[in-house]
Amino acid sequence: MSYDALGTRARPTLGLDTFGDVPLDPEGRPGDHAEVIRQVVAEGVLADRVGVDYLGLGEHHRADYAVSAPDVVLAAIAGQTGRIRLGTGVTVLSSDDPIRVYQRFATLDAIAPGRAEVQLGRGSFIESFGLFGLSLDDYDRLFAEKLDLFSALQSEQPVSWEGTIRPPLEGKQVYPTTAAGRLPAWIAVGGTPESVVRAAHYGMPLVLAVIGGSPRGFVQFADLYRRALAEYGREELPIGMHSPGHVAATDELAREQLYPHQADLYTRLGRERGWGPYSQIAFNQAAGPEGAMFVGSPETVARKIAWAITTLGLSRFQLKYSVGALPHDQRLESVRLYGEEVIPRVRELLAQG
């Protein structure tokens, strides 16, 4: 795997993520999933045109998110773009087949040579388990064994593997293979030490999902990952970070546009998970100088990204730019500003030290 292709601290990859958020009406009925998917394709094409380095599509199986098959949507984007790297944020490996995941993204790599990758994780929702006939009692075992098998597939040589979740493999070759001989794969974690060490064990780059608290609080996990890599005798690998946000012409406009959709989403999720209602105070804290949300004008967002990259020693930053019912035109403008103004400014700030 090429470290340079995935970003370095000297020139980090600056990307975008989306789940294809779908508006819900007051009764919880979703809007038009097909239209949202077409909008995601348009946003991905624009991201390529304005200089964004990476686009990640998150896999979900819920009414409020349209992207359940990221590879299909990414293939549509691949056919209309020429440079942007295309991947996931994340692929829920626990409820998928590692061989099929590898085949699908190796196929994407053939369509977009050298631009495909995958980010593997457990996801933050559990709908896929029941949908695909899996038990939550096997939550840890499914991910651990499937990740082990996926790692073995990265050699692109005949694989012999045995676990408890499927019949063993005896010298099986998986096709298609990639031109590079290995599909880039990251492990995305929410910040548990065991998950961080697991990424180091398999020699996969790490993505930290920073959706609450402060990026500064994740320094311990970045340091743990680097120590674990050294203990396993591995060279240093990239660390990325995924956080929500929104870019608009001014700080005031960005907050005004985002807040109602952020509040609606988090209040709805709170009812599912036992949280209290989302408040303006919580939003302001998260959108503050060291909070987990990157909201504001291009200058404000660029300075905060540069701070996060420096603080954690990141090789990649991914802004989750779509939230709830945030309108398509506002998402397009956020993508445009991110590519045309935020990214150049981040690079300028990092060059200044």
Side-chain angles (χ1 to χ4, degrees):
M1 183 186 302
S2 171
Y3 193 159
D4 289 342
L6 302 181
T8 66
R9 293 191 213 179
R11 185 175 176 82
T13 297
L14 297 169
L16 293 169
D17 288 338
T18 180
F19 302 160
D21 298 53
V22 178
L24 302 182
D25 70 13
E27 283 71 46
R29 293 185 295 259
D32 189 339
H33 287 88
E35 177 59 24
V36 170
I37 289 171
R38 290 189 287 269
Q39 291 173 356
V40 169
V41 172
E43 290 157 12
V45 172
L46 175 62
D48 178 77
R49 194 177 80 223
V50 298
V52 176
D53 296 325
Y54 173 79
L55 179 68
L57 304 187
E59 173 197 344
H60 293 83
H61 302 272
R62 296 166 49 94
D64 43 0
Y65 300 116
V67 179
S68 61
D71 51 297
V72 178
V73 184
L74 290 169
I77 296 170
Q80 302 178 59
T81 58
R83 49 163 298 280
I84 193 168
R85 296 187 64 81
L86 302 168
T88 55
V90 299
T91 290
V92 185
L93 188 64
S94 306
S95 56
D96 211 331
D97 184 293
I99 294 175
R100 293 297 287 143
V101 172
Y102 204 94
Q103 289 175 324
R104 295 197 301 265
F105 282 88
T107 300
L108 177 64
D109 192 69
I111 296 168
R115 293 196 282 139
E117 61 182 68
V118 63
Q119 292 183 6
L120 307 171
R122 304 169 190 254
S124 59
F125 297 97
I126 60 174
E127 288 82 4
S128 62
F129 282 79
L131 188 64
F132 299 118
L134 300 168
S135 172
L136 284 172
D137 292 339
D138 297 325
Y139 184 83
D140 292 324
R141 180 166 62 99
L142 284 168
F143 184 73
E145 291 197 16
K146 290 184 177 187
L147 181 61
D148 190 63
L149 174 53
F150 187 94
S151 178
L153 298 174
Q154 285 190 290
S155 70
E156 298 195 349
Q157 299 298 314
V159 171
S160 295
W161 182 91
E162 185 171 355
T164 66
I165 59 172
R166 54 156 297 148
L169 294 172
E170 298 291 344
K172 296 297 185 181
Q173 178 72 58
V174 173
Y175 299 104
T177 56
T178 62
R182 181 181 177 91
L183 178 70
W186 301 61
I187 295 181
V189 306
T192 62
E194 296 80 7
S195 296
V196 171
V197 173
R198 179 185 284 128
H201 170 73
Y202 285 106
M204 293 184 184
L206 179 74
V207 179
L208 296 166
V210 182
I211 58 176
S214 169
R216 192 181 296 280
F218 286 75
V219 170
Q220 60 183 319
F221 297 111
D223 290 345
L224 173 62
Y225 177 66
R226 295 186 181 102
R227 290 197 306 272
L229 284 172
E231 290 172 6
Y232 284 120
R234 298 186 181 280
E235 62 183 23
E236 189 168 333
L237 291 170
I239 299 175
M241 182 177 120
H242 155 105
S243 289
H246 177 60
V247 190
T250 66
D251 290 348
E252 294 75 15
L253 181 60
R255 293 188 179 211
E256 176 185 316
Q257 288 178 343
L258 184 61
Y259 174 71
H261 307 296
Q262 181 79 3
D264 177 71
L265 173 66
Y266 273 63
T267 298
R268 178 159 36 84
L269 292 178
R271 287 195 294 268
E272 295 179 17
R273 301 184 179 190
W275 307 337
Y278 193 74
S279 68
Q280 183 75 58
I281 293 173
F283 178 84
N284 291 342
Q285 186 174 39
E290 294 197 4
M293 293 179 61
F294 291 68
V295 184
S297 68
E299 179 68 16
T300 295
V301 174
R303 286 189 175 278
K304 191 168 180 179
I305 292 173
W307 165 77
I309 288 172
T310 302
T311 299
L312 280 85
L314 300 175
S315 299
R316 174 179 291 187
F317 178 86
Q318 299 166 205
L319 180 76
K320 199 274 187 179
Y321 69 91
S322 61
V323 174
L326 189 71
H328 179 48
D329 63 334
Q330 293 178 15
R331 300 197 309 266
L332 285 171
E333 179 66 0
S334 185
V335 170
R336 185 190 70 81
L337 290 171
Y338 186 79
E340 292 183 348
E341 299 189 30
V342 174
I343 288 178
R345 182 59 174 146
V346 171
R347 300 208 188 286
E348 183 180 66
L349 290 167
L350 292 174
Q352 293 172 359

